[in-house]
Amino acid sequence: CLYAGNVNDNVGSMGFASKVGLEIGTFFSSIKESISTGAIPTSILLPAIGAVLWTGSVTCAYTIYAQSFGQRRVSPTEANLIYTIQPLFTALFAWFLLGETLGPSGAIGGALIASAVYMVAMVDGDGDEDIENDMDDLSDVKMDAIDSEVLSPDKESMKEMINR
């Protein structure tokens, strides 16, 4: 926890930000001091810096870019289905790369996710045409309402509405 003060302290946003900044500054000062005194050997710094760069650039920045890139090229339904199966791929990679096992409740949950995605994919198909037709229908209803006297009445209709 960065802020070790009382949770009920009413320090406000600026007070909290200054306390967090102080904690971060203290952390980096202690790292610098530990390196200069030899408490942290320089032989472990290169792998640590590499890990930080990998985490920031590949697992964060690149994945956000890749998601945006791919999301522009598929329909909303397809994007949702892809995001829904993410836990299945996580479990699969954990099994393949780390040798982890899946318990009965995990297997049932995975089967439920897979069957739900399958049902939606089979019922909805592509999804683009349905969405476009729905949007066209909504546009027609909106234009009909604007053309009607309810939303854009003339002066005589306004007088009648007021006198009611």
Side-chain angles (χ1 to χ4, degrees):
C1 180
L2 289 175
Y3 177 58
N6 187 349
V7 176
N8 295 323
D9 287 349
N10 189 8
V11 295
S13 297
M14 292 304 292
F16 178 76
S18 67
K19 289 181 185 289
V20 169
L22 179 65
E23 293 291 332
I24 291 171
T26 303
F27 169 77
F28 282 114
S29 295
S30 66
I31 293 290
K32 181 180 174 184
E33 183 180 327
S34 297
I35 292 171
S36 65
T37 61
I40 297 178
T42 55
S43 62
I44 66 166
L45 286 179
L46 188 58
I49 291 171
V52 168
L53 291 175
W54 172 266
T55 302
S57 61
V58 175
T59 64
C60 290
Y62 173 72
T63 56
I64 292 170
Y65 169 76
Q67 177 181 343
S68 307
F69 180 83
Q71 197 169 350
R72 285 191 301 250
R73 288 159 177 75
V74 297
S75 72
T77 303
E78 291 169 329
N80 191 16
L81 292 176
I82 291 167
Y83 298 142
T84 301
I85 61 173
Q86 186 267 336
L88 299 178
F89 282 107
T90 301
L92 183 66
F93 281 117
W95 169 76
F96 182 72
L97 296 174
L98 304 173
E100 294 201 16
T101 58
L102 196 61
S105 61
I108 292 170
L112 288 172
I113 291 172
S115 60
V117 167
Y118 178 77
M119 287 189 293
V120 169
M122 292 299 107
V123 169
D124 193 34
D126 182 21
D128 284 337
E129 295 168 1
D130 293 336
I131 291 171
E132 289 174 9
N133 289 338
D134 290 344
M135 294 304 288
D136 288 341
D137 292 343
L138 286 174
S139 295
D140 291 342
V141 168
K142 184 177 176 183
M143 291 308 294
D144 289 344
I146 289 173
D147 291 338
S148 74
E149 291 184 5
V150 173
L151 293 180
S152 57
D154 58 1
K155 290 181 183 179
E156 292 300 318
S157 298
M158 285 291 287
K159 289 178 183 176
E160 288 177 25
M161 289 170 49
I162 292 172
N163 291 332
R164 286 185 200 170

